[in-house]
Structures are given as structure tokens and as C-alpha cells.
């Protein structure tokens, strides 16, 4: 037994003390995408000044880095990352990788974004240092690293081989002049994808090459008027309002019309797509839940029809009928989407967005 422990000890120590000779670069010096407005600090979606008129819930959630990604190119044979988080999180319906980890994609030889690997957050610490991928060839490749969806990222450094090049992409595969800004709920923010790249805004962005801004605020996408005022200041080729799961029927009646009309009036050159609430799967059995979702979608459609009658031509509508498919297998808890649900919603939303993006010019 003593001899066995002696043999195992060197392997245990070597694993725990993995050699790190990487050259690290602060990710803030690379290309940051997925932000509605410039912020200080960089990795938040809205900063202190921008959130002054907003609710405490939105202020807190705006610090989460959902939808933000770092683009870079390197010929390194491996990629490491060091990242620190504001705090440790636990969610019963989400993986640690999606709420606090990193998700890495690369452009393959066919010019498509292909998944590479993930950065797994530490179990008992907010500091992370991890080898994400190794043993690659040394050709120059473009990468996209998605940030945590439900945590605040304090710092991020990307490590490559000492002799390798690491820089902003010379020809970014994401076109920041084509921007879709989406406002919504916890589903939009990323609950409950397995990793950040599987939210439906991220899927659409990779498929199309557009920059897609994720302004999902978990449980707090309730159409307060100051949010409409803030959205109206953002550069966009198209706005998407996918927030109906969060407000009550009374809140929709009170807030939806002035919210949408303000955006239409302030940004008449930008198409706006209204998306119904996904059909809550539990509502097929719990009649109260089903009736509530149907009522909120009915009120949302009334707002759309009222504004169309007033002559707003840049307004469009997407019903929830096909958002999640029809086998009732697209959610983790009846409400929040799995990867399957997100892929289905992306497949439903993207064709309509492609038509709207042809109607609008560059983001302005």
C-alpha cells in the first residue's frame, strides 16, 4: 500500500501543478463585440451612468456579460485563459459552464464558426486559470470567446505560446455595421443553454455574421419606459423585443404601447420585430399558466395592430406557434430553453430577421 501511494504521488502533483509558460494578453485590447453601448468597465452590458434611471433588478443583471464575446486571431498551438468573477453562483436550471464559464469557437477551413472547447469555472473559487485547447496546428485562425451569461466578469486574459502571434482579427468574421439589438427575459439572457454559444442570439450571430446584442434581463424585462429611452440611443440595424414572458398582463396593458411607440418614433429608420412569449410547456397541463401566457400574447398582438393602424410601417410580428417545435421537448423546466429549444427558436427567428436586415442599412 505504501509503495502504491509512492507511485501515485508524482502523478498527482504533476496534475495539480500544470506548467504554464503562456504569454498572456488582457482581452480588453482585443476585439469586443455584443455590446449595445460602450461601457466602463468593459465586460458589463450597461454601466453605472447608463443604468441610473433603471430598476435595481436591471442594474444588477446588466453587470452580467451575457452575449459579449472576444474576437482574436492567433497561430498558437494552444489557448489558455485566466478569468476572475465577481462571485460564485448557483442556479438549479443552469450549468456552471454557461453562467460562469467561457465558450470558445473558431473559423474552420470552410469559413464557418465551429465549436472548440469550454473554460470550466472553478468549484470553490472566483479565480480561474485553465488550458482550453492544445495540440492545434500553427496556422493563423480566428477565434470567438463567449463570456459568462449570468455572472460578472472582472478580468480576462488570454494566453498563447510565447512565440505565437495574438491580435485583433485582420478581417473580423462578425460585421459590426450589421447589428441586431434584442431586449428580453431570462430566456434571452441564456437560461438554460448548456454554454454561452448556444443562446439563440449567439447562434444567429454565428450563422449570419451579424453582431447581435443580448439585452436579456432575467425576470426583469418588463418594458419600463427608461429602458425604451436607452434602447433608442443604441446603434442598430434592427430591434427585437422578446420580453413578453416577464411582465404581467397588467404591465403589458400599461407599458407596451408607450414603450414600442417611443422606439418607433425615435428610430423610424430601424425595423422592429415583436416576438410573442414562447408557449409555456407547463401551460398545456396547468390551465392557469396556459391562460396567462395566451392572455399576454393577445395583449401584445393588440399593441402591434394598434400601432400598425397608426401607420408605423417598420413594425413586424412573430407568433410563438413554431418557436419551440411541437414535440414539447425544448425546455428544461417548461419555461427556459435547452440547446434544442434555442436552436429551434434561432431557426424560426433568423429567416424573418434576414428579410428585415435587407430593408435596413448599416447600424446607425
Amino acid at each position: 500500500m505504501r509503495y502504491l501511494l509512492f507511485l501515485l504521488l508524482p502523478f498527482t502533483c504533476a496534475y495539480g501543478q500544470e506548467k504554464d509558460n503562456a504569454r498572456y494578453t488582457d482581452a480588453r485590447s482585443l476585439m469586443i463585440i455584443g455590446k449595445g453601448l460602450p461601457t466602463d468597465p468593459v465586460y458589463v452590458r450597461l454601466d453605472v451612468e447608463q443604468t441610473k434611471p433603471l430598476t435595481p433588478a436591471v442594474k444588477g443583471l446588466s453587470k452580467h456579460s451575457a452575449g459579449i464575446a472576444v474576437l482574436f486571431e492567433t497561430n498558437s498551438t494552444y489557448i489558455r485563459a485566466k478569468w476572475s468573477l465577481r462571485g460564485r453562483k448557483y442556479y438549479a436550471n443552469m450549468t456552471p459552464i454557461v453562467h460562469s464559464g467561457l465558450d470558445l469557437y473558431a473559423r474552420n477551413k470552410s469559413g464557418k464558426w465551429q465549436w472548440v472547447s469550454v473554460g470550466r469555472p472553478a468549484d470553490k473559487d472566483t479565480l480561474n486559470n485553465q488550458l482550453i485547447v492544445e495540440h492545434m496546428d500553427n496556422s493563423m485562425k480566428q477565434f470567438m470567446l463567449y463570456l459568462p451569461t449570468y455572472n460578472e466578469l472582472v478580468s480576462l486574459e488570454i494566453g498563447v505560446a510565447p512565440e505565437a502571434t495574438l491580435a485583433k482579427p485582420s478581417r473580423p468574421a462578425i460585421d459590426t455595421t450589421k447589428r441586431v439589438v434584442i431586449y428580453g427575459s431570462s430566456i434571452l439572457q441564456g437560461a438554460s443553454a448548456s454554454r454561452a454559444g448556444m443562446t439563440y442570439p449567439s447562434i444567429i450571430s454565428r450563422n449570419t455574421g451579424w453582431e447581435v446584442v443580448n439585452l436579456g434581463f432575467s425576470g426583469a424585462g418588463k418594458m419600463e419606459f427608461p429602458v425604451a429611452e436607452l434602447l433608442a440611443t443604441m446603434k442598430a440595424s434592427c430591434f427585437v423585443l422578446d420580453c413578453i414572458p416577464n411582465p404581467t398582463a397588467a404591465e403589458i396593458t400599461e407599458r407596451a404601447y408607450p414603450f414600442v411607440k417611443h422606439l418607433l418614433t425615435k428610430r423610424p429608420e430601424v425595423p422592429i420585430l415583436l416576438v410573442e412569449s414562447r408557449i409555456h410547456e407547463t401551460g398545456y397541463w396547468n390551465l392557469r399558466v396556459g391562460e396567462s401566457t395566451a392572455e399576454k400574447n393577445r395583449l401584445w398582438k393588440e399593441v402591434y395592430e394598434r400601432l400598425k393602424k397608426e401607420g408605423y410601417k417598420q413594425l413586424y410580428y412573430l407568433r410563438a406557434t413554431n418557436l419551440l417545435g411541437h414535440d414539447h421537448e425544448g425546455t428544461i423546466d417548461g419555461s427556459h430553453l435547452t440547446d434544442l429549444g434555442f436552436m429551434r427558436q434561432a431557426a424560426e427567428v433568423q429567416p424573418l430577421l434576414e428579410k428585415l436586415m435587407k430593408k435596413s442599412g448599416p447600424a446607425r
Side-chain angles (χ1 to χ4, degrees):
M1 182 65 177
R2 185 177 300 172
Y3 180 68
L4 179 60
L5 288 174
F6 177 77
L7 288 175
L8 288 175
L9 185 59
F11 294 96
T12 305
C13 292
Y15 180 81
Q17 299 174 6
E18 181 182 310
K19 194 172 182 180
D20 181 3
N21 293 323
R23 173 173 54 84
Y24 285 91
T25 298
D26 191 321
R28 292 176 297 179
S29 67
L30 301 171
M31 184 176 176
I32 309 294
I33 63 167
K35 294 170 62 65
L37 295 167
T39 62
D40 183 20
V42 171
Y43 301 126
V44 300
R45 294 181 290 166
L46 299 172
D47 63 27
V48 173
E49 288 300 313
Q50 295 158 1
T51 58
K52 273 186 177 178
L54 306 182
T55 65
V58 174
K59 288 181 180 180
L61 291 163
S62 69
K63 296 177 182 178
H64 295 173
S65 51
I68 301 175
V70 181
L71 261 64
F72 60 92
E73 62 184 16
T74 183
N75 57 356
S76 179
T77 58
Y78 65 85
I79 295 174
R80 299 187 65 97
K82 294 180 181 179
W83 72 102
S84 62
L85 304 163
R86 183 65 64 191
R88 293 174 58 206
K89 300 281 185 176
Y90 169 78
Y91 296 94
N93 62 348
M94 276 187 270
T95 70
I97 287 172
V98 73
H99 65 64
S100 297
L102 305 174
D103 194 12
L104 184 66
Y105 278 77
R107 296 286 280 181
N108 63 24
K109 293 180 180 179
S110 300
K112 303 292 185 182
W113 287 109
Q114 181 176 331
W115 180 77
V116 177
S117 189
V118 295
R120 297 171 175 82
D123 291 338
K124 299 179 180 180
D125 202 344
T126 58
L127 301 176
N128 305 272
N129 185 343
Q130 192 171 124
L131 177 67
I132 296 181
V133 61
E134 61 181 336
H135 303 309
M136 295 187 291
D137 65 55
N138 62 355
S139 63
M140 190 67 72
K141 306 174 190 66
Q142 187 171 160
F143 293 88
M144 179 157 54
L145 184 66
Y146 290 103
L147 307 187
T149 60
Y150 269 79
N151 209 331
E152 182 180 353
L153 186 70
V154 178
S155 65
L156 173 63
E157 294 177 272
I158 295 174
V160 297
E163 70 281 3
T165 297
L166 174 63
K168 293 180 180 180
S170 55
R171 299 178 64 184
I174 299 296
D175 185 351
T176 57
T177 69
K178 297 179 179 179
R179 280 168 51 97
V180 179
V181 176
I182 312 182
Y183 168 67
S185 66
S186 56
I187 296 169
L188 177 64
Q189 186 171 340
S192 297
S194 62
R195 45 189 174 80
M198 289 307 295
T199 66
Y200 88 82
S202 296
I203 294 171
I204 291 174
S205 179
R206 290 195 305 277
N207 288 347
T208 61
W210 307 330
E211 182 178 25
V212 181
V213 177
N214 183 331
L215 293 176
F217 299 111
S218 185
K222 296 187 176 184
M223 291 190 289
E224 297 92 351
F225 193 73
V227 176
E229 294 178 308
L230 192 61
L231 287 174
T233 68
M234 297 182 183
K235 289 184 178 181
S237 306
C238 183
F239 288 110
V240 179
L241 304 182
D242 183 12
C243 50
I244 296 306
N246 283 169
T248 64
E251 288 169 336
I252 293 172
T253 300
E254 175 189 353
R255 300 172 181 177
Y257 175 80
F259 188 103
V260 180
K261 185 165 185 175
H262 179 79
L263 206 52
L264 289 166
T265 303
K266 291 294 183 179
R267 302 298 298 276
E269 80 286 4
V270 180
I272 300 174
L273 173 62
L274 308 187
V275 180
E276 286 187 347
S277 168
R278 84 291 175 248
I279 298 172
H280 199 302
E281 291 292 347
T282 308
Y284 288 101
W285 308 98
N286 183 324
L287 299 184
R288 185 170 295 180
V289 170
E291 290 165 2
S292 173
T293 303
E295 174 67 2
K296 292 196 291 182
N297 283 340
R298 183 186 67 79
L299 293 170
W300 194 220
K301 185 69 177 295
E302 286 182 357
V303 170
Y304 165 76
E305 291 173 345
R306 178 180 174 185
L307 288 164
K308 291 295 282 187
K309 286 180 182 178
E310 292 180 14
Y312 291 101
K313 296 181 180 180
Q314 80 269 37
L315 190 62
Y316 302 85
Y317 195 85
L318 180 61
R319 297 194 62 190
T321 309
N322 298 315
L323 281 182
L324 300 184
H326 300 280
D327 58 8
H328 313 291
E329 298 289 2
T331 73
I332 191 171
D333 54 10
S335 174
H336 300 97
L337 278 55
T338 60
D339 290 354
L340 175 63
F342 277 120
M343 290 177 71
R344 287 174 173 171
Q345 180 149 351
E348 186 72 6
V349 174
Q350 183 179 318
L352 182 51
L353 282 181
E354 288 173 343
K355 293 178 182 179
L356 301 187
M357 292 291 278
K358 290 178 180 178
K359 295 176 182 289
S360 70
R364 55 197 185 277

